[in-house]
Amino acid sequence: MLMGGLILLATLLVVAPLILIFMYLIREGVGAINLDFFTKVPAPEGETGGGLANAILGSIQMLAMASAIGVLVGVSGGIFLSEYPRHPLMPTVRMISDVLAGIPAIVMGLVVYSLIVLQFGFSGFAGSLALGFLMMPIVVRTTEEVLKLVPLTVREAGMALGLPKWLVTLRIVLPAAAGGIVTGVMLALARVAGEAAPLLFTAFGNSAINLDPSKPMSALPLEIYRGATSAYDENQRLAKAGALLLITLIFLTSLLARRASRRK
């Protein structure tokens, strides 16, 4: 009885901050969520109305490009670490993955700023590159651990049929672990979707709707940051509405990832 009460208390302490955040954002920002919120760009400072269409489209586009970068490199790295543990480059790849996992998001933004932005200017592609780098170590570690769960007998059965190891990995082992890999990708997306620091140094932001990744691009975390630091109540209310949308999307992504993992 005592332990059950302590477990319930610990659960409430963990869940309470999330509930309080949701309640605050719903109370302060739900009034700004309407048709204009999804179809219009932010109004000038101090004026009423407007929306975050530029930020919503920018976030979708940059996350899609970041996924293409992070998933391609991350899954490849996870396969390498899991299936070729005796390769001479394995310790180096693992070390790079561990270092990337520990780099703060703002530092990653500064790295991309030095390598890309100073040469080609602010762009959505630079922001996607920073987010993709943040996704890589999560996808690498998830892919490696999930592939290790595939029984060795599955690999042996494929190789006993005369298939080369690379074909066994791609056609048998990888599909068997697809559910767990997808879960890792969704969790990585939820991890980087709310990052504003690296985008300040890379994508920079754009008050208009822009679908060209070679130009500055807005995103929900950027608009939330700028609205929250504004002196006008209307901008702050729009920022809280954006925060409510972002945390809802992250919550749904995490929930889908858990359901996919549980079903697998």
Side-chain angles (χ1 to χ4, degrees):
M1 190 69 178
L2 176 61
M3 293 306 299
L6 291 176
I7 292 174
L8 178 60
L9 178 61
T11 303
L12 292 175
L13 290 176
V14 172
V15 176
L18 178 61
I19 295 176
L20 292 175
I21 291 172
F22 260 120
M23 291 177 60
Y24 173 77
L25 292 177
I26 290 173
R27 185 180 71 250
E28 298 291 333
V30 72
I33 297 181
N34 48 37
L35 184 61
D36 290 346
F37 179 80
F38 296 98
T39 58
K40 293 185 178 180
V41 299
E45 284 283 328
E47 296 187 9
T48 59
L52 295 180
N54 58 329
I56 295 172
L57 292 176
S59 286
I60 293 173
Q61 188 169 348
M62 280 194 282
L63 287 175
M65 292 189 293
S67 298
I69 299 169
V71 172
L72 179 62
V73 179
V75 172
S76 301
I79 293 174
F80 178 77
L81 293 177
S82 173
E83 303 302 310
Y84 301 91
R86 297 182 180 178
H87 195 281
L89 290 178
M90 194 277 289
T92 303
V93 175
R94 184 179 296 280
M95 183 190 68
I96 293 174
S97 176
D98 292 341
V99 170
L100 283 175
I103 293 179
I106 191 169
V107 175
M108 189 65 72
L110 287 171
V111 170
V112 177
Y113 174 82
S114 301
L115 296 177
I116 303 297
V117 176
L118 291 180
Q119 302 295 326
F120 305 102
F122 296 102
S123 65
F125 175 75
S128 303
L129 195 61
L131 298 181
F133 284 156
L134 292 173
M135 288 182 64
M136 282 180 195
I138 303 174
V139 179
V140 167
R141 184 56 57 87
T142 304
T143 302
E144 179 189 4
E145 296 301 325
V146 171
L147 289 177
K148 287 181 178 178
L149 295 177
V150 179
L152 182 61
T153 52
V154 174
R155 298 170 173 84
E156 293 174 345
M159 298 181 71
L161 295 174
L163 298 175
K165 185 174 182 179
W166 67 269
L167 191 58
V168 171
T169 301
L170 293 180
R171 298 296 298 273
I172 299 177
V173 179
L174 201 59
I181 294 174
V182 171
T183 300
V185 171
M186 295 176 72
L187 290 175
L189 275 173
R191 159 72 173 80
V192 304
E195 291 289 352
L199 299 182
L200 289 170
F201 298 97
T202 53
F204 190 68
N206 196 329
S207 59
I209 295 177
N210 171 45
L211 300 180
D212 184 358
S214 65
K215 297 180 180 179
M217 186 175 291
S218 186
L220 278 172
L222 289 177
E223 294 298 335
I224 292 170
Y225 169 75
R226 288 169 180 164
T229 56
S230 173
Y232 298 97
D233 293 338
E234 183 65 22
N235 297 96
Q236 295 181 10
R237 192 166 68 97
L238 200 62
K240 293 170 184 176
L244 177 61
L245 175 63
L246 182 60
I247 196 173
T248 301
L249 293 176
I250 293 174
F251 175 77
L252 292 176
T253 302
S254 301
L255 182 63
L256 289 174
R258 289 182 61 85
R259 288 181 62 87
S261 177
R262 186 179 303 171
R263 184 166 57 250
K264 184 64 179 176

